Amino acid sequence: MSDTPKIRLRGVTKRFGDKLVLDGIDLDVAPQTSMVVIGGSGSGKSVLLKCILGLIAPDSGTIEIDGQDVLRMPHKARDAARARIGMLFQNGALFDSISVAENVAFGLLAQKKATRAEARIRAEEVLAQVGLAASVGDLAPAELSGGMQKRVALARAIAASPDILFFDEPTTGLDPIMGAVIDGLITEQVKRMGSTAIAITHDMASARRIGDRAAMIHKGRIVWEGPAESLMDSGNPMVDQFTHGRRDGPIQMELRR
Amino acid sequence: MNTLLNAVAALGRGALSACEATGRVTLFAVLGLSHILRPPFYGRAFGRAMLEIGYLSLPVVALTAVFTGMVLALQSSTGLSRFAVESAIPSLVVLSITRELGPVLGGLMVAGRVGAAMAAEIGTMRVTDQIDALTTLSTNPLKYLVAPRLLAGIIALPLLVVVADILGVMGGFIIGVAKLGFNPYIYLQNTFNALYAEDVISGLVKASVFGFVITLMGCYHGYHSRGGAQGVGAATTAAVVTSSVLILALDYVLTELFFTK
């Protein structure tokens, strides 16, 4: 493991109107490791990923990839840095106006890494890696089941062999067996490509399967960080309450009674 | 006193937000247009938009034009017969269609058909993260989604209006000959004698502007839609309403520009 983290966040802050969504996030992800981020709904996990991806500009703080501050790079360099990140969106976000194969090959064609014919062959390879037959490539995304859509979305995220992968709730909405299959595919692909990964999840079984390290966000801050195996017995009362799904504890749900 | 202040404050807020919205739309339009000129170009997206806006709108625009031409001939005959100048019917029909009704009614029909569909499609892409997904796949959404549609609108509407002009005149011709007792030769002769190139060209320029407005509003409202199915519904309504109103308002402005000297 080298000294520079692959991804380094320092004091990342984001505010939407009056609401402070990220309140000074510090996070390091070492190269070729997987970081799992847990936290309640609305704790700012998705916004964090979108900040690193450049979809949302943080109000302050620095985001470094390979030691380079992406927020202060020239446009071209920033686009190049971000082209190396693959993202699996929560609901897949497959383009429904084009076929599955075109979805998978989309990034390759956009980055001009392949001709149309090469991209088609590569799409079939990647579909095979996520356990889908080449014939699936001709279908429209709407014709697939939820589990298959997730697999296609995973295939699209890894098609250009990115060295960083983000997963936003990869197993949400899937049955436990399909969840385990997706987790298996994710760990397999991350290991095979030697990628660095950040995964957001609510699913503790999934978190321990995917992650090397884990961090918990609460109210826009990182409240705990440690090895993913210790999630269930971290000794941190907030993490314990979250991972065991207890109603009472240091985290009070803001409910009106 | 307070009520008065509140009223003034509300007026000010309204004016400010109107200025802000105008600025945002203008910026969006300039960005979208600039992407038409800069590579990479998405030929397939442009082809799809042309098909959607031009070819698939043909039936509705054609029907609108035929019936408008027929009604024009019929209505003007009752009016003009009082002054015994029925012979003016062919020229009245052709000038009304080419200068005004072809572009305006065609534009309104396309706004309802295409503007709504565009806002719904792009809006759904927004709320299902597909637009963010485009960005993560090294594709500029303005370039991929907006620019081809704007260009297709600018090109397809004039083509539709050419068809509408011909069919509108044909509608008038049918009524003129079948119902009002015109000799077919004389009807057509009167039509072409009254028509100058600038009548048709001004109509086509209007159509181009309307095509831009329709696609711009569809893309803009879709692109900025928020909050699930309801947000997409609101975007669709806003796209149709704003483009329809803008078509009518710009029609006046363009007519002033072309015909008052």
Side-chain angles (χ1 to χ4, degrees):
Chain A
M1 212 184 278
S2 74
D3 290 327
T4 8
K6 189 80 184 169
I7 302 169
R8 176 203 286 266
L9 309 182
R10 284 292 173 272
V12 175
T13 306
K14 180 69 193 175
R15 190 182 278 284
F16 289 119
D18 296 337
K19 198 167 180 284
L20 192 58
V21 184
L22 298 178
D23 184 9
I25 298 272
D26 297 335
L27 190 68
D28 288 342
V29 185
Q32 307 195 357
T33 61
S34 298
M35 168 69 76
V36 171
V37 178
I38 61 170
S41 309
S43 58
K45 305 179 305 281
S46 293
V47 175
L48 181 67
L49 286 193
K50 287 186 174 175
C51 281
I52 306 175
L53 280 167
L55 298 171
I56 295 175
D59 297 332
S60 61
T62 59
I63 297 173
E64 289 176 13
I65 295 178
D66 286 328
Q68 305 240 302
D69 187 349
V70 285
L71 298 174
R72 282 160 196 81
M73 277 182 184
H75 264 292
K76 280 243 164 80
R78 189 188 310 178
D79 289 348
R82 275 165 185 156
R84 290 160 38 214
I85 308 180
M87 167 86 183
L88 173 62
F89 284 87
Q90 190 171 346
N91 293 309
L94 295 174
F95 306 129
D96 37 31
S97 58
I98 57 178
S99 73
V100 165
E102 287 173 305
N103 262 285
V104 174
F106 200 94
L108 289 173
L109 290 172
Q111 293 176 21
K112 299 207 171 61
K113 282 190 179 168
T115 63
R116 220 157 243 293
E118 287 162 8
R120 172 76 208 202
I121 295 167
R122 173 79 183 134
E124 284 176 11
E125 269 171 39
V126 184
L127 284 173
Q129 282 166 8
V130 297
L132 292 173
S135 60
V136 175
D138 296 319
L139 300 176
E143 294 176 83
L144 306 178
S145 69
M148 284 168 96
Q149 288 188 0
K150 269 276 159 69
R151 286 203 237 180
V152 174
L154 176 62
R156 185 175 72 179
I158 64 175
S161 308
D163 51 355
I164 299 173
L165 275 163
F166 290 167
F167 305 101
D168 192 352
E169 302 195 14
T171 58
T172 300
L174 300 178
D175 68 70
I177 298 173
M178 185 52 80
V181 170
I182 296 286
D183 285 344
L185 288 170
I186 287 176
T187 44
E188 200 181 297
Q189 297 307 322
V190 169
K191 292 277 174 304
R192 187 181 59 80
M193 297 192 297
S195 309
T196 307
I198 300 182
I200 287 175
T201 186
H202 292 300
D203 178 347
M204 290 309 128
S206 169
R208 280 174 302 159
R209 281 193 294 253
I210 302 176
D212 301 318
R213 310 248 334 143
M216 175 158 171
I217 297 195
H218 181 61
K219 291 194 171 163
R221 291 168 171 276
I222 303 269
V223 292
W224 176 83
E225 204 199 316
E229 308 92 73
S230 67
L231 266 175
M232 300 309 281
D233 47 7
S234 61
N236 179 307
M238 277 194 179
V239 178
D240 274 354
Q241 186 195 349
F242 190 83
T243 56
H244 294 98
R246 296 197 194 102
R247 229 172 105 183
D248 300 311
I251 304 172
Q252 291 298 316
M253 282 290 149
E254 281 155 18
L255 295 177
R256 232 169 272 215
R257 291 179 188 250
Chain B
M1 189 62 194
N2 251 345
T3 4
L4 187 69
L5 275 181
N6 282 342
V8 172
L11 196 69
R13 267 196 300 274
L16 279 180
S17 69
C19 288
E20 201 188 322
T22 313
R24 271 202 303 263
V25 172
T26 311
L27 190 65
F28 188 82
V30 169
L31 277 175
L33 286 174
S34 77
H35 281 296
I36 293 178
L37 305 173
R38 285 182 288 154
F41 305 113
Y42 292 100
R44 293 208 310 169
F46 171 69
R48 216 184 121 228
M50 280 298 282
L51 185 77
E52 176 69 25
I53 302 170
Y55 185 68
L56 296 177
S57 299
L58 265 177
V60 62
V61 170
L63 283 172
T64 310
V66 170
F67 285 115
T68 307
M70 289 166 72
V71 167
L72 265 179
L74 208 54
Q75 285 281 25
S76 52
S77 86
T78 53
L80 296 175
S81 64
R82 286 182 208 160
F83 309 102
V85 281
E86 289 100 326
S87 59
I89 290 174
S91 51
L92 190 144
V93 169
V94 73
L95 291 184
S96 312
I97 292 280
T98 52
R99 283 183 173 197
E100 280 301 321
L101 297 172
V104 171
L105 292 181
L108 291 176
M109 297 311 283
V110 173
R113 217 192 79 83
V114 175
M118 223 167 248
E121 185 183 350
I122 296 180
T124 306
M125 291 187 75
R126 165 61 74 195
V127 301
T128 56
D129 287 337
Q130 291 181 51
I131 292 184
D132 284 346
L134 278 175
T135 312
T136 66
L137 294 167
S138 313
T139 303
N140 187 327
L142 285 175
K143 198 179 272 303
Y144 181 73
L145 294 175
V146 177
R149 285 173 167 82
L150 292 179
L151 184 63
I154 293 169
I155 295 174
L157 252 269
L159 298 178
L160 279 173
V161 167
V162 168
V163 176
D165 285 353
I166 295 167
L167 291 176
V169 169
M170 194 192 82
F173 176 79
I174 291 169
I175 292 295
V177 172
K179 200 156 190 295
L180 307 175
F182 271 90
N183 175 307
Y185 279 112
I186 296 187
Y187 188 98
L188 286 181
Q189 202 173 22
N190 282 357
T191 298
F192 288 114
N193 282 346
L195 191 64
Y196 290 96
E198 72 166 23
D199 299 319
V200 177
I201 290 168
S202 71
L204 298 185
V205 172
K206 279 182 180 178
S208 216
V209 173
F210 298 163
F212 173 67
V213 166
I214 293 166
T215 46
L216 177 68
M217 287 298 127
C219 292
Y220 175 81
H221 289 288
Y223 201 81
H224 293 99
S225 61
R226 287 276 175 276
Q230 204 187 3
V232 175
T236 311
T237 311
V240 176
V241 171
T242 48
S243 55
S244 304
V245 172
L246 279 174
I247 283 174
L248 295 170
L250 285 174
D251 182 44
Y252 172 75
V253 174
L254 291 171
T255 308
E256 277 278 3
L257 280 178
F258 291 139
F259 297 111
T260 47
K261 270 146 197 162

Short mmCIF file of all heavy atoms in Angstrom, two decimals, chain A residues 12 18-19 21 34 37 43 54 65 71 74 87 98 101 109 115 118 143 149 154 174 180 184 196 208 227 234 247 257:
data_model
loop_
_atom_site.label_atom_id
_atom_site.label_comp_id
_atom_site.label_asym_id
_atom_site.label_seq_id
_atom_site.Cartn_x
_atom_site.Cartn_y
_atom_site.Cartn_z
N VAL A 12 -14.78 18.67 3.42
CA VAL A 12 -15.76 18.89 2.36
C VAL A 12 -17.10 19.30 2.97
O VAL A 12 -17.65 18.60 3.81
CB VAL A 12 -15.93 17.64 1.49
CG1 VAL A 12 -17.04 17.84 0.47
CG2 VAL A 12 -14.63 17.31 0.79
N ASP A 18 -30.76 26.28 3.73
CA ASP A 18 -30.41 26.35 5.16
C ASP A 18 -29.82 25.04 5.66
O ASP A 18 -29.30 24.97 6.76
CB ASP A 18 -31.67 26.66 6.00
CG ASP A 18 -32.23 28.01 5.66
OD1 ASP A 18 -31.45 28.84 5.15
OD2 ASP A 18 -33.43 28.22 5.89
N LYS A 19 -29.95 24.01 4.85
CA LYS A 19 -29.62 22.68 5.36
C LYS A 19 -28.16 22.35 5.08
O LYS A 19 -27.70 22.38 3.95
CB LYS A 19 -30.52 21.63 4.67
CG LYS A 19 -30.56 20.35 5.42
CD LYS A 19 -31.68 19.44 4.90
CE LYS A 19 -31.71 18.14 5.66
NZ LYS A 19 -30.64 17.23 5.25
N VAL A 21 -25.66 19.79 4.56
CA VAL A 21 -25.73 18.36 4.22
C VAL A 21 -24.40 17.67 4.51
O VAL A 21 -24.36 16.57 5.06
CB VAL A 21 -26.11 18.18 2.73
CG1 VAL A 21 -26.28 16.72 2.40
CG2 VAL A 21 -27.39 18.93 2.43
N SER A 34 -11.61 -1.25 -0.62
CA SER A 34 -13.00 -0.86 -0.73
C SER A 34 -13.45 -0.23 0.57
O SER A 34 -13.24 -0.79 1.64
CB SER A 34 -13.87 -2.09 -0.99
OG SER A 34 -13.50 -2.67 -2.20
N VAL A 37 -19.56 3.09 3.05
CA VAL A 37 -20.08 4.21 3.82
C VAL A 37 -21.51 3.89 4.23
O VAL A 37 -22.35 3.60 3.38
CB VAL A 37 -20.05 5.52 2.99
CG1 VAL A 37 -20.63 6.66 3.79
CG2 VAL A 37 -18.63 5.83 2.56
N SER A 43 -28.45 11.40 5.30
CA SER A 43 -27.27 11.82 6.06
C SER A 43 -26.20 12.41 5.15
O SER A 43 -25.15 12.83 5.62
CB SER A 43 -26.70 10.64 6.84
OG SER A 43 -26.36 9.59 5.97
N GLY A 54 -18.13 15.22 -9.23
CA GLY A 54 -18.21 16.51 -9.88
C GLY A 54 -19.60 16.88 -10.34
O GLY A 54 -19.79 17.82 -11.10
N ILE A 65 -7.69 13.20 -5.91
CA ILE A 65 -7.60 11.87 -6.48
C ILE A 65 -6.14 11.69 -6.90
O ILE A 65 -5.60 12.53 -7.63
CB ILE A 65 -8.55 11.72 -7.69
CG1 ILE A 65 -10.00 11.84 -7.21
CG2 ILE A 65 -8.31 10.39 -8.38
CD1 ILE A 65 -11.03 11.77 -8.30
N LEU A 71 -10.79 19.78 -7.63
CA LEU A 71 -11.61 20.98 -7.67
C LEU A 71 -10.84 22.16 -8.26
O LEU A 71 -11.43 23.11 -8.74
CB LEU A 71 -12.10 21.35 -6.27
CG LEU A 71 -12.99 20.31 -5.61
CD1 LEU A 71 -13.28 20.70 -4.18
CD2 LEU A 71 -14.28 20.14 -6.39
N PRO A 74 -7.51 22.34 -14.15
CA PRO A 74 -8.16 22.86 -15.35
C PRO A 74 -9.22 21.87 -15.86
O PRO A 74 -9.15 20.68 -15.55
CB PRO A 74 -7.01 23.00 -16.36
CG PRO A 74 -5.84 22.33 -15.76
CD PRO A 74 -6.08 22.10 -14.32
N MET A 87 -19.51 4.61 -12.05
CA MET A 87 -20.54 4.80 -11.02
C MET A 87 -21.72 3.88 -11.27
O MET A 87 -22.26 3.84 -12.38
CB MET A 87 -20.98 6.27 -11.05
CG MET A 87 -22.23 6.56 -10.26
SD MET A 87 -21.86 6.90 -8.52
CE MET A 87 -23.49 7.10 -7.85
N ILE A 98 -32.11 3.39 -25.46
CA ILE A 98 -31.17 2.59 -26.26
C ILE A 98 -31.06 1.19 -25.68
O ILE A 98 -31.49 0.94 -24.55
CB ILE A 98 -29.79 3.28 -26.36
CG1 ILE A 98 -29.20 3.51 -24.98
CG2 ILE A 98 -29.86 4.56 -27.15
CD1 ILE A 98 -27.82 4.14 -25.01
N ALA A 101 -26.89 -3.38 -24.84
CA ALA A 101 -25.51 -3.37 -25.32
C ALA A 101 -25.01 -1.94 -25.52
O ALA A 101 -23.87 -1.61 -25.18
CB ALA A 101 -25.40 -4.16 -26.62
N LEU A 109 -17.63 4.38 -26.16
CA LEU A 109 -17.82 5.18 -27.37
C LEU A 109 -17.61 6.65 -27.09
O LEU A 109 -17.02 7.37 -27.88
CB LEU A 109 -19.21 4.92 -27.95
CG LEU A 109 -19.41 3.53 -28.55
CD1 LEU A 109 -20.86 3.31 -28.92
CD2 LEU A 109 -18.52 3.34 -29.76
N THR A 115 -14.27 1.51 -31.61
CA THR A 115 -15.22 1.74 -32.69
C THR A 115 -16.52 1.06 -32.31
O THR A 115 -16.58 0.32 -31.32
CB THR A 115 -14.72 1.11 -34.00
OG1 THR A 115 -14.64 -0.30 -33.80
CG2 THR A 115 -13.35 1.64 -34.39
N GLU A 118 -16.13 -2.76 -32.22
CA GLU A 118 -15.33 -3.19 -31.06
C GLU A 118 -16.12 -3.04 -29.77
O GLU A 118 -16.08 -3.91 -28.88
CB GLU A 118 -14.06 -2.35 -30.93
CG GLU A 118 -13.00 -2.63 -31.98
CD GLU A 118 -11.98 -1.50 -32.07
OE1 GLU A 118 -12.01 -0.57 -31.22
OE2 GLU A 118 -11.18 -1.53 -33.00
N GLU A 143 -37.17 -4.15 -20.42
CA GLU A 143 -37.60 -5.55 -20.52
C GLU A 143 -36.93 -6.44 -19.48
O GLU A 143 -37.22 -7.63 -19.41
CB GLU A 143 -37.27 -6.08 -21.93
CG GLU A 143 -38.06 -5.41 -23.03
CD GLU A 143 -37.63 -5.90 -24.40
OE1 GLU A 143 -38.10 -6.95 -24.83
OE2 GLU A 143 -36.80 -5.22 -25.04
N GLN A 149 -31.28 -5.55 -14.35
CA GLN A 149 -30.94 -4.14 -14.59
C GLN A 149 -29.73 -3.73 -13.78
O GLN A 149 -28.85 -3.03 -14.26
CB GLN A 149 -32.13 -3.24 -14.23
CG GLN A 149 -33.26 -3.34 -15.23
CD GLN A 149 -34.35 -2.31 -14.98
OE1 GLN A 149 -34.26 -1.52 -14.07
NE2 GLN A 149 -35.38 -2.34 -15.79
N LEU A 154 -24.05 -2.44 -13.52
CA LEU A 154 -22.69 -2.76 -13.07
C LEU A 154 -21.78 -2.94 -14.29
O LEU A 154 -20.65 -2.42 -14.32
CB LEU A 154 -22.72 -4.03 -12.21
CG LEU A 154 -21.36 -4.56 -11.74
CD1 LEU A 154 -20.67 -3.53 -10.85
CD2 LEU A 154 -21.51 -5.88 -11.00
N LEU A 174 -33.37 -5.49 -3.99
CA LEU A 174 -33.18 -6.84 -4.54
C LEU A 174 -33.46 -7.87 -3.45
O LEU A 174 -33.32 -7.58 -2.27
CB LEU A 174 -31.74 -7.00 -5.04
CG LEU A 174 -31.28 -6.04 -6.13
CD1 LEU A 174 -29.83 -6.31 -6.46
CD2 LEU A 174 -32.15 -6.19 -7.36
N ALA A 180 -26.73 -10.97 -2.72
CA ALA A 180 -25.45 -11.65 -2.52
C ALA A 180 -24.73 -11.85 -3.86
O ALA A 180 -23.51 -11.71 -3.95
CB ALA A 180 -25.67 -12.99 -1.83
N GLY A 184 -21.17 -10.36 -4.83
CA GLY A 184 -20.11 -11.25 -5.33
C GLY A 184 -19.49 -10.69 -6.60
O GLY A 184 -18.27 -10.62 -6.74
N THR A 196 -10.16 0.90 -6.83
CA THR A 196 -10.49 1.42 -5.52
C THR A 196 -11.98 1.68 -5.52
O THR A 196 -12.51 2.19 -6.50
CB THR A 196 -9.74 2.75 -5.29
OG1 THR A 196 -8.36 2.51 -5.56
CG2 THR A 196 -9.92 3.26 -3.89
N ARG A 208 -20.39 -5.90 4.88
CA ARG A 208 -19.25 -6.73 5.29
C ARG A 208 -18.70 -7.55 4.12
O ARG A 208 -17.53 -7.87 4.09
CB ARG A 208 -19.64 -7.62 6.46
CG ARG A 208 -19.60 -6.82 7.78
CD ARG A 208 -20.12 -7.63 8.92
NE ARG A 208 -21.49 -8.06 8.63
CZ ARG A 208 -22.07 -9.09 9.22
NH1 ARG A 208 -21.42 -9.83 10.08
NH2 ARG A 208 -23.32 -9.40 8.92
N PRO A 227 -12.31 -1.09 10.42
CA PRO A 227 -12.40 -2.22 9.50
C PRO A 227 -13.85 -2.67 9.33
O PRO A 227 -14.63 -2.61 10.29
CB PRO A 227 -11.58 -3.32 10.17
CG PRO A 227 -11.02 -2.74 11.41
CD PRO A 227 -11.64 -1.43 11.67
N SER A 234 -18.43 -2.74 16.87
CA SER A 234 -17.45 -1.66 16.80
C SER A 234 -17.21 -1.02 18.16
O SER A 234 -16.18 -0.39 18.37
CB SER A 234 -17.96 -0.59 15.85
OG SER A 234 -19.18 -0.07 16.35
N ARG A 247 -34.12 1.04 18.00
CA ARG A 247 -34.88 2.29 17.98
C ARG A 247 -34.30 3.30 18.96
O ARG A 247 -34.31 4.50 18.70
CB ARG A 247 -36.32 1.98 18.38
CG ARG A 247 -37.30 2.59 17.43
CD ARG A 247 -38.67 2.10 17.75
NE ARG A 247 -39.43 3.12 18.42
CZ ARG A 247 -40.66 2.94 18.86
NH1 ARG A 247 -41.24 1.76 18.73
NH2 ARG A 247 -41.31 3.90 19.43
N ARG A 257 -44.31 13.62 16.91
CA ARG A 257 -45.34 12.72 17.47
C ARG A 257 -46.58 13.50 17.82
O ARG A 257 -46.50 14.65 18.13
CB ARG A 257 -44.81 12.04 18.71
CG ARG A 257 -43.73 11.06 18.34
CD ARG A 257 -43.17 10.39 19.56
NE ARG A 257 -42.02 9.60 19.17
CZ ARG A 257 -42.03 8.28 19.17
NH1 ARG A 257 -43.07 7.61 19.55
NH2 ARG A 257 -40.95 7.62 18.81
#
